[in-house]
């Protein structure tokens, strides 16, 4: 399975913060925003990942992340010159996907929780259709809403309904089988001129199989695309890391846990950032801190 981080758009809801930089490069407490969605794909065991962003933002993202080899993964990049909808990521990334199953995550989405790895494993093991992740919210009218029948089966997907029949929002994390590119080619731009991922998901619901994993207690989902939600995410990460003495979405730690890098490599990556608390944490999780290596 391959992965895509869609990190495009102009970040207009965050102006003036994003007038000179991509929102996915803004800090969410102690690390760039793009670390969070990238960490989700890595936790799912995905090692081939495409980052899609604007031509202006891609040089800085390449400088930050490189080719992924330091983490034992492969990162490549593609341009989306202007926002054309989430589903456009499958067209931009067609050559990268190359007929494989693919997971797509939005670049401003943050997921965390002890049950997240098992949910990701369940989604990855589902070889047919697609898997969506739902989250209960107080304002479902702002999102695509998943409606289920009495038996808990997904029966409809409604984009920003005026009168939602459910409080389950569809998050910005999607797992698809190998047919997603062909499916994306079948949809047409919406009234706002974009290729809507909800239209792709509706086709899957009508013609194939769609699993809905509702993230419950112990899991958090944050969309850091507005000033308010960005600050909420910063406070969430700060509180969690301060209380638990861990750093969530630490790419080096995940790579070590997955067996993609050695303890020595992890320590070296941390030592390059040893003046920061993040760097010291990376050195500590290597298990080699304080040793002579």
């Amino acid at each position: 399975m391959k992965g895509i981080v869609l990190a495009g758009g102009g970040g207009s809801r965050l102006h003036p913060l994003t007038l000179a930089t991509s929102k996915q490069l803004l800090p969410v407490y102690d690390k760039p925003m793009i670390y969070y969605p990238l960490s989700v794909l890595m936790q799912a065991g995905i090692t081939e990942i495409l980052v899609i962003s604007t031509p202006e933002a891609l040089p800085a993202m390449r400088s930050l992340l490189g080719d992924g080899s330091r983490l034992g993964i492969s990162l490549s990049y593609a341009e989306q010159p202007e926002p054309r909808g989430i589903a456009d990521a499958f067209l931009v990334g067609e050559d990268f996907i190359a007929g494989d199953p693919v997971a797509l995550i939005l670049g401003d989405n943050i997921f965390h929780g002890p049950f997240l790895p098992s949910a990701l494993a369940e989604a990855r093991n589902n070889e047919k259709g697609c898997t969506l992740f739902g989250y209960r919210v107080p304002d479902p009218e702002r999102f695509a809403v998943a409606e289920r029948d009495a038996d808990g089966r997904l029966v409809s997907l409604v984009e920003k309904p005026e009168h939602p029949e459910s409080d389950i929002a569809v998050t910005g994390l999607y797992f698809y089988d190998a047919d997603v590119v062909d499916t994306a080619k079948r949809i047409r731009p919406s009234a706002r001129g974009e290729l809507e991922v909800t239209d792709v998901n509706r086709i899957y619901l009508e013609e194939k199989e769609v699993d809905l994993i509702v993230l419950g207690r112990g899991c958090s989902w944050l969309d850091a695309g507005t000033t308010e939600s960005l600050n909420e995410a910063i406070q969430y990460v700060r509180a969690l890391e301060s209380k638990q003495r861990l750093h969530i979405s630490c790419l080096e730690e995940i790579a070590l846990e997955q067996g993609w890098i050695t303890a020595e490599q992890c320590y070296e990556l941390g030592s390059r950032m040893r003046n920061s608390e993040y760097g010291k944490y990376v050195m500590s999780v290597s298990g080699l801190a304080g040793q002579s290596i």
Side-chain angles (χ1 to χ4, degrees):
M1 173 171 278
K2 294 175 180 174
I4 294 177
V5 178
L6 181 57
S12 59
R13 293 183 298 168
L14 284 165
H15 284 174
L17 293 173
T18 51
L19 287 175
T21 188
S22 165
K23 69 178 175 182
Q24 285 84 15
L25 296 175
L26 293 176
V28 177
Y29 189 49
D30 61 345
K31 62 189 74 70
M33 186 186 296
I34 197 170
Y35 272 43
Y36 296 88
L38 183 57
S39 74
V40 172
L41 298 182
M42 291 174 63
Q43 288 180 76
I46 298 172
T47 58
E48 294 180 75
I49 299 171
L50 175 70
V51 177
I52 299 176
S53 191
T54 64
E56 296 78 16
L58 280 178
M61 290 188 181
R62 284 195 181 96
S63 178
L64 172 68
L65 300 171
D67 63 3
S69 59
R70 67 183 179 86
L71 299 170
I73 63 176
S74 174
L75 290 176
S76 52
Y77 301 85
E79 294 182 359
Q80 187 186 50
E82 57 187 24
R84 294 191 296 255
I86 295 172
D88 183 57
F90 303 118
L91 306 185
V92 173
E94 180 177 5
D95 291 341
F96 167 79
I97 296 169
D100 290 324
V102 64
L104 170 68
I105 187 168
L106 303 187
D108 58 4
N109 274 219
I110 297 172
F111 295 83
H112 177 258
F115 304 111
L116 182 61
S118 61
L120 294 172
E122 179 182 346
R124 179 163 183 173
N125 291 335
N126 180 22
E127 298 179 353
K128 296 181 179 179
C130 76
T131 300
L132 308 178
F133 288 80
Y135 193 83
R136 297 187 183 278
V137 297
D139 49 357
E141 66 278 358
R142 294 180 51 233
F143 305 93
V145 172
E147 298 178 357
R148 302 190 292 181
D149 62 18
D151 296 321
R153 291 188 297 264
L154 183 66
V155 294
S156 70
L157 295 164
V158 184
E159 186 70 34
K160 296 182 176 64
E162 291 187 17
H163 305 288
E165 297 293 331
S166 163
D167 65 349
I168 301 174
V170 178
T171 71
L173 175 61
Y174 320 85
F175 282 65
Y176 296 95
D177 64 16
D179 295 330
V180 66
V181 173
D182 290 338
T183 303
K185 288 180 178 179
R186 293 168 54 188
I187 67 173
R188 295 292 177 265
S190 64
R192 60 177 183 165
E194 297 189 358
L195 297 177
E196 308 289 352
V197 72
T198 299
D199 290 337
V200 171
N201 296 336
R202 286 196 189 107
I203 293 176
Y204 270 90
L205 184 60
E206 293 168 1
E207 300 180 1
K208 304 188 76 173
E209 298 179 17
V210 177
D211 285 348
L212 176 67
I213 298 176
V214 180
L215 300 173
R217 289 186 177 182
C219 284
S220 298
W221 168 57
L222 300 97
D223 174 353
T226 67
T227 303
E228 182 176 355
S229 61
L230 174 60
N231 283 310
E232 179 185 352
I234 291 170
Q235 294 304 316
Y236 173 86
V237 175
R238 179 181 183 276
L240 192 67
E241 294 190 354
S242 298
K243 290 180 180 178
Q244 299 190 11
R245 301 299 179 185
L246 53 78
H247 287 245
I248 70 172
S249 300
C250 176
L251 304 185
E252 295 82 1
E253 182 178 21
I254 296 169
L256 179 63
E257 292 174 345
Q258 295 282 14
W260 300 334
I261 61 174
T262 66
E264 290 77 12
Q265 289 171 321
C266 182
Y267 183 89
E268 173 60 26
L269 291 173
S271 69
R272 298 175 190 176
M273 303 177 283
R274 64 188 322 125
N275 289 334
S276 70
E277 291 303 315
Y278 182 89
K280 293 173 184 175
Y281 177 79
V282 173
M283 293 170 68
S284 72
V285 298
S286 74
L288 301 175
Q291 301 183 32
S292 177
I293 62 171

